[in-house]
Amino acid sequence: MQMILQQAQKMQQQLQEAQAELATAEVTGQAGNGLVEVTVTAGLEPRSVKIDPKVVDPEDVETLQDLVAGALGDAVRRAQELQQQKMGPLAGGLDMGGLGLPGA
C-alpha cells in the first residue's frame, strides 16, 4: 500500500510540473503559407496574431478571415498535441500490480 501512495505522490508531482510547463509553453499555427500566424499557449490562451500586409485587402476581407481562422485552428491543434505529449503518459494512471481495481 505504501508503494501505491508513493506512486500517487510522484504522479501528482509530475502532473503539476507538466501543467506548469503547459501554462507557459507557446505554439504557433499558420495559414496561407505563413501569411497569417497565431500564437497561443498550450492552455489555449491567445498570445499574438501576425498578419502579412500582403493579405490585407479591404475588398476581400473574407480571405483574411479564413486565414485567421485557419491559423487559429492550426495553433489549437498544435497545442492539443503538446498537451497530449506532456500529459498523455500521466493519464495512464498508477500501476496497481493487478489488484483488480477499476481503471488499473
Side-chain angles (χ1 to χ4, degrees):
M1 187 63 151
Q2 181 67 22
M3 187 175 183
I4 292 172
L5 291 176
Q6 288 174 343
Q7 279 186 303
Q9 288 174 338
K10 182 178 178 182
M11 283 184 61
Q12 183 178 11
Q13 181 181 0
Q14 290 172 334
L15 180 63
Q16 289 171 340
E17 290 170 0
Q19 288 172 331
E21 187 175 336
L22 287 171
T24 59
E26 293 184 353
V27 294
T28 300
Q30 63 174 328
N33 226 10
L35 294 173
V36 175
E37 293 183 352
V38 174
T39 301
V40 299
T41 66
L44 304 181
E45 183 180 325
R47 290 291 192 214
S48 68
V49 176
K50 188 167 90 175
I51 300 173
D52 189 309
K54 290 187 270 190
V55 296
V56 180
D57 180 356
E59 295 183 24
D60 186 15
V61 175
E62 292 81 17
T63 297
L64 181 56
Q65 291 169 338
D66 290 344
L67 288 170
V68 170
L72 182 58
D74 187 40
V76 167
R77 181 186 55 77
R78 291 172 188 254
Q80 290 170 335
E81 288 174 358
L82 183 58
Q83 289 172 356
Q84 182 60 35
Q85 286 174 1
K86 296 293 181 187
M87 303 297 278
L90 299 175
L94 293 172
D95 176 14
M96 295 296 188
L99 294 178
L101 297 174

